[in-house]
Amino acid sequence: MAKIQSLAAAVAELVHDGDTVALEGFTHLIPVAAGQEIIRQRRRELTLVRMTPDIVYDQLIGAGCARKLVFSWGGNPGVGSLHRFREAVQQGWPAPLEIEEHSHAGMANRYVAGASGLPFAVLRGYAGTDLPTVTDTIKFIECPFTGERLAVVPAINPDVTIIHAQRADRQGNVQLWGLLGVQKEAVLAARRSLVTVEEIVDELTPVPGAIVLPGWAITAVAEVPGGAHPSYAQGYSERDNAYYAAWDAIGRDRDAFTGWLDRHVFTTTGSPA
């Protein structure tokens, strides 16, 4: 059964320097508060994994938490670039950042392989791209049955996966619905997992299209209302488009960014910024 903890206690226990950490959620239910708690606890040398790193990863990278990013697309959705990410790659500030780039299909299949206990995934992909020339974790094999040339990518098994969901019960079973990504696979692939939720309830009631992650598959649950802000949580909150627009100017300038960290992350106690 998952342990119910505060966000600060769960991050302190589950996220260690040097870990491989995946924060998943596709435009919806992004675990932003958890990412900012990782910054607040000043974790370092992390390998960050995410299919679509957006502003929470810009914040983690800019705060010096990351040494490597494994991803398939990166940007401020609907706005433009991630300037902290860009400066880390191009200028090594605040620390050099290694990147490992895949396609969306490659990343999704890597999580599925990790969740399935398999060493790698096989897919039709990457043909006609130059990604295999710059990413060592893309290889090709010949199908032993048809002779077809297929791409293979290694499983992802994060040390810890963190997601946000709408609710959990007191036994640690988690329910999420709406626009979903690879949250289920990322949790099942991980050695440890943390789920932040909008609320903890006595009983999970059925919701059309919802999935339930059983408490035995989750390490810890933390109640963090608004923990996905500025992304949205269907049934609880709407997307804060103004935040994404404002982030462009904050992320673009080192002094503006470090000032933002001081005001909204390091001087708070876990409430979403």
Side-chain angles (χ1 to χ4, degrees), residues 124-144:
R124 291 187 177 94
Y126 299 105
T129 77
D130 62 359
L131 277 175
T133 68
V134 295
T135 302
D136 291 339
T137 50
I138 302 169
K139 305 295 183 184
F140 291 91
I141 62 170
E142 181 180 297
C143 173

Side-chain angles (χ1 to χ4, degrees), residues 165-215:
Q166 280 93 342
R167 59 193 181 198
D169 64 20
R170 302 191 189 283
Q171 288 70 50
N173 302 301
V174 168
Q175 186 181 42
L176 60 161
W177 64 88
L179 180 62
L180 302 178
V182 293
Q183 290 100 317
K184 175 181 70 176
E185 293 81 4
V187 166
L188 295 177
R191 297 173 178 86
R192 304 181 297 276
S193 57
L194 165 62
V195 183
T196 58
V197 296
E198 292 292 323
E199 62 174 337
I200 294 175
V201 298
D202 292 329
E203 182 179 359
L204 300 178
T205 56
V207 176
I211 64 173
V212 174
L213 292 170

Side-chain angles (χ1 to χ4, degrees), residues 2 27 38 53 68 81 102 106 120 125 135 146 166 182-183 186 203 254 257:
T27 75
I38 291 170
K68 181 177 180 179
S81 293
H102 281 268
F120 61 85
T135 302
T146 67
Q166 280 93 342
V182 293
Q183 290 100 317
E203 182 179 359
R254 286 186 191 180
F257 172 72

Side-chain angles (χ1 to χ4, degrees), residues 243-268:
Y243 187 113
Y244 286 91
W247 184 255
D248 187 70
I250 296 168
R252 189 181 293 272
D253 181 79
R254 286 186 191 180
D255 291 338
F257 172 72
T258 54
W260 177 88
L261 280 180
D262 289 339
R263 291 190 304 273
H264 296 288
V265 179
F266 292 129
T267 60
T268 64

Side-chain angles (χ1 to χ4, degrees), residues 7-23:
L7 176 58
V11 168
E13 181 177 326
L14 299 179
V15 182
H16 313 133
D17 288 353
D19 275 354
T20 296
V21 181
L23 282 73

